[in-house]
Amino acid sequence: MLGLMQNQPLMISSLIEHANRHHGEEEIVSRRVEGDIHRTSYRQVAQRARQVAHALDALKLAFGDRVATLAWNGYRHLELYFGVSGTGRVLHTLNPRLHPDQIAWIANHAQDQVLCFDMTFLPIIKAIQGKATSIRHFVALCDADKLPADTGIAGLTSYEAWIAPHPTTYAWPDFDENSASSMCYTSGTTGNPKAALYSHRSTILHAFAGSMPDALNLSARDSVLPVVPMFHVNAWGLPYAGAMTGAKMVFPGPAMDGKSIFELIESEKVTFAAGVPTVWQMMLAHMQAGNLRFSTLRRTVIGGSACPPAMITAFNDDYGVEVLHAWGMTEMSPLGTVCTLKNKHLDLSPDDKMKVRLKQGRGLYGVDMKIVDPDGKELPWDGRTFGDLLVRGPWIIRDYFNAEGPSPLVDGWFPTGDVATIDADGYMQITDRSKDVIKSGGEWISSIDVENIAVAHPGVAMAACIGIKHPKWDERPIIAVVRKPGAQVSREELLAFYEGKIAKWQIPDDVVFVDAIPLGGTGKMQKTKLREQLRDYVLPGV
Ligand code: ADP
């Protein structure tokens, strides 16, 4: 017997219409490429998203056709989020930090028909023109009078001229909620990039789950700053969760430096911010140098790579900001776990509380997790035993878009490529990415643990731990370190700093000082590049 409830498909267009009706006055603030601060509202975003819908119809795009963006976080990008998906076309967010050849490859693979870009990225457009052969229309996200006459791009229009002729009303269609809504390619550290293809249903369920109190705890009283880019995994779903909850949204545009981010937090009374550790490192350095304080920021979600304890302490103790350590992947929309405490943790000593906060957290409702040994046998949730982490749930991929080869699933579970422990309370902790784990004398060393200790040293700005081949031990860890400006920390001093903090055999064999650690398109340390740079390196005594 079926239930007798209305079977309303979960549509992304309903998010912006909800925001329009219930939070129409709420502000959407963007720092623009031009450098100025732009203000609009959910009401205007809804109207302009409807104009985008008409503009796409006028191009005669088919249902499911891909409309790409190459854009910073900003209001026009937000309008495209709703306008494109709302009509049943697929929003494809391209990552401008990739090499133009890779962007062209991705655009061809996705068969993008339209590309909307911020003027910052004009050089990329020029580089891929003629290579990205499926793109028929280029739209520059600017006013008509900001469009240079001599771009050399055939048929280029400005976004404002493109949408202006169209009405601000539109009848959003209802269709199967499992239809594709947006897509994002993984960074492709191994082989060609692969695309996660999200659906209306997966996106809305993810927004519900992500807004919950023990997840990001978003509300209409929040002012939300996604520093995480809208060009990678939908800025962790915040544009959708923002519309669902009616939160004020604050977009940083291209200005990601510590000073600009801090100023935006203060001027827009931001209460909640989201970013990867490298972004916060820059902001904390700016604040420490100027002895600055936040007036409104309460929570910050940090993920994408492990959040070092020194950062959690700085936010919490020095600035009174709660850090929500979170974990996820492109393939998971991306939220998988968020670390919020249970009642039983509230009375713990600061050290023991920190041990919980360093974990990546508990699975959201909707995300199932397990850890397995190399034979696929499930391992206990004891907080010590580590194994390959597998996940399943309604916002986790079952396959990649137009993939060659079989589905990545193993008995219905998606292998994350991460190695983790899970404790009896369900808190998951990443030990490493499986390809970064260091195997020494038959034991595993967590590169994250080794890095966390190094960055706790006051003279260290950034640190990456990699394994180096060893004739006896298989591999031994070394740590590549970028010193803070003006810091003098020596190899001996840093190695001594490890004493008593981890087991002796886990202490790196050497410290290599470098000017910079290579970062990838999403701000993560690229250990493959670092290994290449250090390929002639020889361990001491070998
Ligand atoms: P890519 O780096 O290929 O773009 P994602 O952005 O999807 O991929 O990153 C997913 C990976 O990032 C995870 O599998 C995990 O290894 C790492 N990651 C994400 N959040 C965390 C975290 N809080 N701690 C440690 N690792 C993390």
Side-chain angles (χ1 to χ4, degrees):
M1 182 159 67
L2 292 176
L4 285 173
M5 309 313 284
Q6 297 179 13
N7 191 5
Q8 220 159 347
L10 303 174
M11 297 276 99
I12 284 176
S13 55
S14 71
L15 292 173
I16 192 61
E17 290 307 331
H18 172 84
N20 170 49
R21 175 156 288 232
H22 298 272
H23 308 281
E25 301 293 308
E26 194 53 75
E27 272 190 311
I28 310 293
V29 180
S30 314
R31 193 192 293 277
R32 297 205 289 187
V33 173
E34 296 88 327
D36 61 341
I37 298 286
H38 175 275
R39 292 178 186 280
T40 181
S41 63
Y42 277 119
R43 176 148 310 131
Q44 283 169 296
V45 167
Q47 287 173 354
R48 285 160 55 90
R50 297 184 206 120
Q51 289 181 292
V52 168
H54 283 292
L56 294 171
D57 290 350
L59 294 180
K60 305 248 178 305
L61 294 187
F63 188 82
D65 270 354
R66 267 74 70 202
V67 175
T69 58
L70 201 55
W72 300 111
N73 291 8
Y75 66 104
R76 291 184 179 120
H77 208 172
L78 187 67
E79 291 156 11
L80 288 162
Y81 261 54
F82 295 109
V84 173
S85 305
T87 62
R89 280 91 183 198
V90 178
L91 179 84
H92 175 197
T93 51
L94 286 161
N95 184 342
R97 297 207 176 109
L98 301 178
H99 188 277
D101 287 347
Q102 213 172 9
I103 295 177
W105 185 94
I106 290 174
N108 283 329
H109 187 264
Q111 287 292 290
D112 294 334
Q113 303 288 313
V114 182
L115 175 50
C116 305
F117 64 96
D118 270 328
M119 288 305 277
T120 324
F121 304 124
L122 191 58
I124 301 180
I125 303 299
K126 288 182 174 166
I128 67 171
Q129 210 199 358
K131 290 184 186 163
T133 50
S134 61
I135 301 175
R136 295 186 285 138
H137 306 279
F138 288 94
V139 178
L141 296 170
C142 65
D143 292 328
D145 61 358
K146 293 275 170 20
L147 199 62
D150 51 354
T151 57
I153 298 160
L156 178 65
T157 21
S158 77
Y159 178 80
E160 295 303 329
W162 184 51
I163 65 168
H166 299 290
T168 55
T169 53
Y170 187 83
W172 296 112
D174 268 351
F175 43 85
D176 184 347
E177 63 183 20
N178 290 297
S179 305
S181 57
S182 69
M183 71 198 304
C184 178
Y185 281 69
T186 63
S187 310
T189 33
T190 50
N192 277 329
K194 294 181 286 230
L197 185 62
Y198 312 111
S199 70
H200 286 256
R201 172 185 155 84
S202 73
T203 303
I204 290 200
L205 294 178
H206 179 264
F208 268 127
S211 306
M212 296 266 283
D214 267 356
L216 308 183
N217 191 13
L218 296 177
S219 89
R221 292 169 299 286
D222 274 313
S223 171
V224 174
L225 174 75
V227 185
V228 283
M230 289 168 79
F231 59 69
H232 192 62
V233 217
N234 303 323
W236 297 354
L238 288 169
Y240 306 115
M244 180 177 271
T245 55
K248 171 179 173 176
M249 299 300 284
V250 182
F251 294 119
M256 311 284 206
D257 60 285
K259 180 171 184 285
S260 306
I261 294 292
F262 176 77
E263 284 173 2
L264 209 52
I265 288 176
E266 285 303 293
S267 62
E268 297 308 324
K269 300 190 169 37
V270 168
T271 56
F272 176 90
V276 295
T278 39
V279 162
W280 298 131
Q281 219 129 23
M282 290 191 290
M283 194 189 64
L284 290 175
H286 170 75
M287 293 182 67
Q288 278 151 6
N291 202 15
L292 302 166
R293 288 283 173 275
F294 294 118
S295 353
T296 53
L297 190 68
R298 293 284 162 266
R299 308 184 312 289
T300 172
V301 57
I302 303 185
S305 42
C307 179
M311 185 170 283
I312 300 183
T313 309
F315 267 115
N316 193 67
D317 299 1
D318 302 345
Y319 301 110
V321 173
E322 183 188 9
V323 169
L324 304 172
H325 196 192
W327 165 85
M329 306 179 73
T330 307
E331 289 89 338
M332 300 177 70
S333 301
L335 289 176
T337 63
V338 181
C339 192
T340 47
L341 302 184
K342 292 186 176 179
N343 260 335
K344 66 193 282 187
H345 300 126
L346 298 181
D347 296 330
L348 290 178
S349 70
D351 278 0
D352 287 338
K353 228 184 242 178
M354 176 61 88
K355 283 191 191 128
V356 182
R357 288 202 177 280
L358 280 178
K359 301 188 181 205
Q360 278 74 8
R362 288 179 278 134
L364 304 186
Y365 165 77
V367 174
D368 260 353
M369 297 189 285
K370 67 175 178 180
I371 43 175
V372 301
D373 70 8
D375 301 324
K377 195 165 111 313
E378 202 167 338
L379 295 168
W381 289 24
D382 59 12
R384 289 191 314 275
T385 313
F386 48 83
D388 292 316
L389 177 65
L390 285 86
V391 290
R392 65 177 181 193
W395 55 85
I396 297 167
I397 63 159
R398 64 182 154 83
D399 206 348
Y400 293 99
F401 171 69
N402 264 353
E404 294 154 16
S407 148
L409 298 197
V410 179
D411 297 330
W413 292 78
F414 176 73
T416 63
D418 287 322
V419 177
T421 61
I422 305 177
D423 70 17
D425 292 313
Y427 287 72
M428 184 277 288
Q429 184 159 26
I430 303 272
T431 319
D432 247 313
R433 268 196 140 164
S434 52
K435 61 182 188 306
D436 293 336
V437 163
I438 297 160
K439 297 174 195 89
S440 178
E443 297 284 348
W444 285 10
I445 299 175
S446 156
S447 66
I448 295 178
D449 286 351
V450 177
E451 287 157 6
N452 279 347
I453 295 172
V455 295
H457 188 284
V460 173
M462 207 183 272
C465 174
I466 55 170
I468 300 283
K469 285 262 163 291
H470 188 281
K472 180 167 174 204
W473 302 113
D474 190 14
E475 272 183 335
R476 287 296 302 154
I478 64 162
I479 184 109
V481 166
V482 182
R483 288 190 184 99
K484 278 197 184 149
Q488 298 295 327
V489 55
S490 68
R491 171 183 185 276
E492 287 64 35
E493 191 184 337
L494 196 58
L495 291 179
F497 189 66
Y498 277 95
E499 299 287 340
K501 297 194 173 79
I502 39 172
K504 265 206 154 35
W505 60 273
Q506 296 175 329
I507 297 179
D509 278 12
D510 201 4
V511 180
V512 181
F513 290 101
V514 292
D515 293 336
I517 288 166
L519 297 180
T522 53
K524 294 182 201 199
M525 297 193 288
Q526 279 191 309
K527 294 197 182 173
T528 36
K529 280 238 172 93
L530 183 65
R531 282 192 199 96
E532 270 167 39
Q533 278 176 17
L534 298 177
R535 64 177 169 268
D536 297 329
Y537 170 85
V538 185
L539 280 169
V542 169

